Amino acid sequence: MFKKILIANRGEIALRIIRTCKELGIPTVAVYSVADKDSLHVVFADEAVCIGPAQSKDSYLKIPSIIAAAEVTGADAIHPGYGFLAENAEFSEICAESNIKFIGPSPDMINRMGDKALAKDTMRKVGVPVVPGSEGALKDIAEAKIIAKEIGYPVMLKASAGGGGKGMRIVWNEDEIEKAYQNASAEAEASFSNGEMYLEKYIENPHHVEIQIMGDQQGNVYQYGERDCTIQRRHQKLIEETPSPVITAETRKKMADAAILGAKSVNYEGAGTIEFLVDKHQKFYFIEMNTRIQVEHSITEMVNNIDLIKQQILVAAGEKITEIPKEPIGHCFEFRINAEDTENNFRPTPGKIDYLHFPGGFGVRIDSHIYNQYTIQPYYDSLIAKMIVWGSNRNHAIARAKRAFEEFAVEGIKTTIPFHMEVLENENFVKAEYDTSFIDKHFSK
Ligand code: MV4
């Protein structure tokens, strides 16, 4: 097992990883920016190293500073969490060259899955259902026109280097495709220095359903069920739940089999997520694979009674997965508490928390790095807490979530709590009648 793990992250996920390391008896090293000197991950870790100024590019994204911190503290593994360097192939490679185990996939796997057109084509070739469209990346606009005509409009143009919405365009008819291609490609070039595009059929009002998988170095791959992440705003997830309220047992089984097939065919090691779109006829299509632990991993932990971070650490150390999936129990929601003003276009609201009380009781889990009198910094993402609620069924989980939100107090800054309380009263949400248009339909002012 590792002698010491450095956590190359901040916020709730840094705490989450430190907690598991403590339970495994592994010493931890936190890294932090000047702006995070009062952060809890700095306090909870056994050691902490300041790696630079507030801006992420000068600290949490600064590979040489993080490697140096690992070397001076004698850390033999790095957990990247999510975001920052978690899906950076160069970082994974430099860790390997420095004899530090990157707790995540190989540089080759990160590159393969980070190229969304290539990832999709890889999955198609082994028989995982994918959205009809181009096989790999498009050569040019002319090819886009031919394929779009073949499969029929509307279609979606997506950036190969994208994911999460950037460089994405819906195209309703042939008149629009040239301009959409140019704009989306230029946007992708500016954001990712890669203007490569691929094309697929536009699936109307789908559900986003993803399967959690885990592979070990012995070639075992397990799946831990799905998460429904359809409640998003501008590609930012706000509420996730498991099990998905819309898929049948048959679809669930087929998706799980497809996820395992896909992961096994690339010899996947570590934690990963296979993302699918599900249409109103229960047809499902692979869209992307994430090669990291995700924000919403906690709901999978709750219904399966497992520790996914522990399994990540075990498999990175070459051990077998110890928590083999069983039937999940009950229903779980995650509500993302962001420092945002939901009445003003979800504008970030950094600042000082003057009063804080977290809810508690049976079935309520709070993962958070904030505390009373803490100042939320403007430099990083606005997630300040995750409230994860378990119930014996969906209605029980909703009742419990409402009860928990009544106990939840954050003063001094605006948060997404009032938004979540409104969603919990929404009759369509309660009946699980929602799709990707849910927030725009009910919550845009
Ligand atoms: C799509 C789609 C419809 N058809 N792809 C991909 C990234 C994700 N953030 C949004 N994505 C979508 N890809 C095809 N071929 C619709 C979306 C989409 C979406 C999907 C699930 C949940 C919420 C969504 C909100 C907007 C768009």
Side-chain angles (χ1 to χ4, degrees):
M1 189 34 73
F2 302 119
K3 290 199 304 285
K4 201 183 265 188
I5 295 178
L6 181 143
I7 296 100
N9 216 303
R10 63 180 302 283
E12 70 87 19
I13 193 63
L15 288 187
R16 170 72 193 82
I17 298 161
I18 291 168
R19 285 175 170 147
T20 286
C21 289
K22 284 192 178 174
E23 290 169 15
L24 291 172
I26 304 170
T28 52
V29 182
V31 293
Y32 64 99
S33 72
V34 170
D36 272 342
K37 67 174 184 2
D38 299 322
S39 259
L40 275 191
H41 73 289
V42 176
V43 180
F44 283 12
D46 297 297
E47 290 170 80
V49 181
C50 183
I51 49 165
Q55 300 285 345
S56 300
K57 69 167 175 37
D58 302 318
S59 49
Y60 298 107
L61 292 172
K62 194 125 189 138
I63 295 174
S65 308
I66 292 168
I67 298 290
E71 282 173 345
V72 299
T73 55
D76 53 352
I78 295 183
H79 197 306
Y82 53 69
F84 296 125
L85 298 169
E87 286 166 290
N88 184 309
E90 189 196 348
F91 184 57
S92 170
E93 177 132 45
I94 292 172
C95 286
E97 286 164 1
S98 313
N99 271 321
I100 298 165
K101 177 66 189 177
F102 176 78
I103 303 175
S106 64
D108 176 62
M109 189 71 65
I110 295 175
N111 280 328
R112 178 126 60 120
M113 294 302 149
D115 180 330
K116 308 298 172 188
L118 179 61
K120 189 181 162 188
D121 211 42
T122 303
M123 293 301 161
R124 181 185 64 79
K125 284 181 175 146
V126 299
V128 176
V130 301
V131 190
S134 59
E135 293 179 355
L138 292 162
K139 283 201 304 287
D140 51 27
I141 298 177
E143 191 187 11
K145 276 189 186 165
I146 293 167
I147 296 170
K149 197 163 220 159
E150 255 169 43
I151 63 174
Y153 288 88
V155 298
M156 223 162 182
L157 282 167
K158 295 183 176 183
S160 296
K166 244 198 193 131
M168 215 168 86
R169 292 289 186 285
I170 306 175
V171 187
W172 295 96
N173 55 58
E174 193 173 295
D175 299 341
E176 294 175 4
I177 197 165
E178 190 154 337
K179 196 142 200 195
Y181 188 104
Q182 285 163 345
N183 288 343
S185 180
E187 190 177 305
E189 183 66 47
S191 301
F192 318 114
S193 311
N194 177 359
E196 200 176 83
M197 303 298 295
Y198 63 107
L199 180 139
E200 53 191 36
K201 180 87 190 151
Y202 177 63
I203 310 293
E204 244 168 290
N205 295 332
H207 269 241
H208 169 132
V209 181
E210 56 187 34
I211 308 278
Q212 177 70 55
I213 57 122
M214 181 78 70
D216 64 22
Q217 293 180 17
Q218 290 71 33
N220 302 299
V221 177
Y222 300 103
Q223 64 83 24
Y224 296 86
E226 82 279 6
R227 296 183 287 259
D228 194 313
C229 310
T230 304
I231 303 202
Q232 308 183 1
R233 181 182 175 275
R234 303 204 176 153
H235 310 297
Q236 294 296 318
K237 295 169 186 166
L238 279 158
I239 301 173
E240 300 95 344
E241 65 177 302
T242 186
S244 167
V246 299
I247 66 171
T248 63
E250 188 191 346
T251 306
R252 176 170 297 115
K253 173 78 171 75
K254 285 187 190 161
M255 289 178 75
D257 289 346
I260 290 193
L261 171 68
K264 276 201 171 154
S265 71
V266 295
N267 292 315
Y268 194 78
E269 181 197 321
T273 303
I274 315 265
E275 296 187 356
F276 297 96
L277 295 180
V278 182
D279 72 13
K280 54 178 180 290
H281 311 294
Q282 297 281 311
K283 284 192 104 174
F284 63 89
Y285 312 90
F286 169 89
I287 49 167
E288 293 178 18
M289 176 167 191
N290 296 316
T291 58
R292 59 168 191 276
I293 195 77
Q294 287 187 281
V295 177
E296 61 270 26
H297 76 277
S298 333
I299 60 173
T300 301
E301 296 188 318
M302 294 282 273
V303 294
N304 288 290
N305 199 21
I306 55 165
D307 180 339
L308 286 168
I309 305 285
K310 175 178 168 185
Q311 300 308 308
Q312 275 192 299
I313 293 170
L314 291 181
V315 304
E319 295 186 21
K320 271 191 176 169
I321 291 166
T322 56
E323 290 172 326
I324 312 300
K326 297 184 275 292
E327 253 327 277
I329 296 173
H331 201 99
C332 199
F333 286 100
E334 171 177 274
F335 300 90
R336 297 194 190 191
I337 318 301
N338 298 334
E340 290 172 0
D341 180 357
T342 58
E343 308 224 296
N344 280 294
N345 219 16
F346 288 73
R347 173 181 63 83
T349 55
K352 190 169 174 191
I353 295 168
D354 332 296
Y355 181 79
L356 179 68
H357 180 79
F358 283 145
F362 192 19
V364 179
R365 165 175 167 184
I366 302 287
D367 275 23
S368 174
H369 60 294
I370 65 168
Y371 54 87
N372 195 17
Q373 306 300 314
Y374 176 76
T375 298
I376 293 147
Q377 299 295 326
Y379 311 101
Y380 315 109
D381 80 27
S382 56
L383 183 76
I384 56 169
K386 304 190 307 202
M387 187 174 97
I388 302 123
V389 174
W390 181 88
S392 49
N393 56 47
R394 191 169 188 273
N395 285 337
H396 183 209
I398 288 174
R400 184 168 270 165
K402 287 194 202 178
R403 181 278 284 171
F405 275 126
E406 282 170 22
E407 297 174 17
F408 208 144
V410 185
E411 281 168 31
I413 55 153
K414 294 212 162 150
T415 74
T416 49
I417 294 172
F419 163 84
H420 290 308
M421 293 175 85
E422 241 183 282
V423 171
L424 287 164
E425 298 294 338
N426 180 284
E427 105 182 274
N428 296 107
F429 177 80
V430 172
K431 289 194 282 189
E433 287 169 359
Y434 63 79
D435 60 35
T436 55
S437 63
F438 179 75
I439 294 180
D440 286 340
K441 215 184 265 161
H442 299 282
F443 299 92
S444 44
K445 309 199 170 140

